[in-house]
């Protein structure tokens, strides 16, 4: 099996993500709080939030699995500050 087959096979979950086909780039997440809150809600209702969260925790920058990650695989404090404790608890429930 080729490396490209393994990567492709391991990423198939992305086809099921709630954000697939979203016409607005997630770049706006960093500058538009209302957009960020919409994206957060989208994540909470995503069937593959757990897989997405795991991807972010491996160093993917941006919104992954309901959390905005920095390139070190840690939640970014600045871009997650608008999230309530209730929201964060819900994400934790969904990804465990």
């Amino acid at each position: 099996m080729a490396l490209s087959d393994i990567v492709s096979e391991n990423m198939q979950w992305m086809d099921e993500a709630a954000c697939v086909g979203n016409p607005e780039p997630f770049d706006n997440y960093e500058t538009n709080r209302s957009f960020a809150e919409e994206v957060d809600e989208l994540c909470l209702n995503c069937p593959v939030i757990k897989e997405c969260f795991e991807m972010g925790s491996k160093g993917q920058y941006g919104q992954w699995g309901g959390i905005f990650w920095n390139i070190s695989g840690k939640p970014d404090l600045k871009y997650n500050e608008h999230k309530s404790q209730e929201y964060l608890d819900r994400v934790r429930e969904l990804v465990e």
Side-chain angles (χ1 to χ4, degrees), residues 21-67:
N22 189 330
E24 190 163 357
F26 277 27
D27 295 346
N28 293 338
Y29 191 96
E30 299 171 35
T31 58
N32 183 332
R33 184 173 177 158
S34 65
F35 178 72
E37 290 170 351
E38 289 176 29
V39 171
D40 293 343
E41 282 302 310
L42 187 66
C43 290
L44 285 181
N45 295 298
C46 184
V48 292
I49 189 172
K50 185 174 184 173
E51 293 86 347
C52 192
F53 182 93
E54 289 172 9
M55 185 72 130
S57 70
K58 293 177 182 171
Q60 292 293 325
Y61 180 81
Q63 178 81 357
W64 292 88
I67 300 295

Side-chain angles (χ1 to χ4, degrees), residues 60-96:
Q60 292 293 325
Y61 180 81
Q63 178 81 357
W64 292 88
I67 300 295
F68 198 98
W69 301 87
N70 64 31
I71 58 172
S72 301
K74 299 197 182 319
D76 189 289
L77 297 177
K78 179 180 178 185
Y79 297 125
N80 288 305
E81 69 183 357
H82 70 277
K83 296 174 181 168
S84 68
Q85 188 59 50
E86 180 182 343
Y87 175 87
L88 297 171
D89 290 344
R90 183 75 178 121
V91 169
R92 186 176 296 115
E93 280 177 29
L94 293 169
V95 300
E96 290 180 340

